[in-house]
Amino acid sequence: MAELTFRTGTMDAGKSTLALQTNHNHAARGRAGRLFTSHDRAGEAIVSSRLGLRADALEVSPDFDFWRFTVDALTQGARIDYLICDEAQFYTPEQIDQLAKVVDELQIDVFCFGILTDFRTRLFPGSARLVELADRTEVLQVEALCWCGKRATHNARTENGVMVTEGEVIVVGDVDDADAPAPAAVDDEVEVAYEVLCRQHHRRGLTAARARAVSLSPDPLPFA
């Protein structure tokens, strides 16, 4: 029986790497699939991994219809055994419903990969719908780490090196190197980056750069 599978984790947990590996494993066994993505950091219509792996994909816009795409392809004689859907947090709830219909009505496996919550610690609508509908939801076992060494559970957004908790939900950026200095703005341009943090340090807004600055300050630390 076909299944709708949702594999999730924080940024830097290897979701896109696993998406590409899943596609490779199925293709190596003679199965035919399609890759989809949305707002990948490497650009439009690309599934990319921080390990350097990448593959061409179909870009999912808000008006893309998975059911119509799949039915049209099958009607024209194409073979589709599975769909790989990366960055699924950016899909609309309606698109997740379409993927569930593809599984149930066409018996095509769908593998979704994405983040559960945004930088405000709120569920992405697409991810929330996947949790509601998926046959299986799996948290990736590769743990991203906060700068303090604890397991990272939250995605933080920084603007010019300062953590923010308000703004547009979808802003493309990559995970910052915690050992690198904060990016400098050019004129009025805002440098957006992301960092994974444990809940404690996300709640306190304590990024790696701020923690270093505090440790070098002669003033007392603002935490126990």
Side-chain angles (χ1 to χ4, degrees), residues 44-206:
E44 187 172 310
I46 297 172
V47 175
S48 68
S49 163
R50 292 185 182 85
L51 296 181
L53 305 173
R54 63 169 53 198
D56 293 335
L58 295 168
E59 184 75 13
V60 177
S61 61
D63 60 351
F64 185 86
D65 190 320
F66 282 100
W67 173 258
R68 179 52 50 198
F69 169 87
T70 307
V71 169
D72 286 349
L74 294 174
T75 301
Q76 295 169 17
R79 176 185 166 190
I80 301 179
D81 298 312
Y82 64 93
L83 305 180
I84 302 287
C85 299
D86 198 26
E87 307 292 355
Q89 71 271 8
F90 295 136
Y91 301 177
T92 67
E94 292 75 19
Q95 287 169 331
I96 303 305
D97 287 341
Q98 294 161 11
L99 290 171
K101 187 177 180 181
V102 166
V103 173
D104 294 340
E105 303 298 330
L106 302 177
Q107 289 300 299
I108 292 174
D109 287 311
V110 175
F111 303 93
C112 293
F113 302 81
I115 299 169
L116 271 180
T117 59
D118 61 24
F119 70 103
R120 305 167 303 171
T121 72
R122 298 174 187 169
L123 285 168
F124 282 100
S127 297
R129 192 62 178 145
L130 272 166
V131 170
E132 293 166 347
L133 293 183
D135 297 297
R136 287 188 294 155
T137 297
E138 303 172 354
V139 178
L140 299 192
Q141 296 304 304
V142 177
E143 295 182 349
L145 298 178
C146 177
W147 60 265
C148 69
K150 292 176 61 177
R151 183 170 71 91
T153 54
H154 291 65
N155 305 293
R157 178 187 293 173
T158 61
E159 294 182 357
N160 298 335
V162 178
M163 180 177 158
V164 296
T165 56
E166 296 181 355
E168 293 292 329
V169 173
I170 302 178
V171 178
V172 178
D174 204 353
V175 176
D176 240 353
D177 182 350
D179 295 324
V186 179
D187 297 328
D188 295 329
E189 181 181 353
V190 176
E191 292 287 343
V192 177
Y194 291 88
E195 182 177 344
V196 290
L197 300 172
C198 64
R199 184 186 65 246
Q200 180 185 38
H201 290 135
H202 187 281
R203 184 170 52 81
R204 292 175 173 174
L206 199 59

Side-chain angles (χ1 to χ4, degrees), residues 10-30:
T10 61
M11 298 182 74
D12 217 17
K15 296 179 302 299
S16 295
T17 301
L18 183 56
L20 292 170
Q21 183 67 52
T22 300
N23 180 60
H24 170 77
N25 289 350
H26 284 262
R29 294 298 176 263

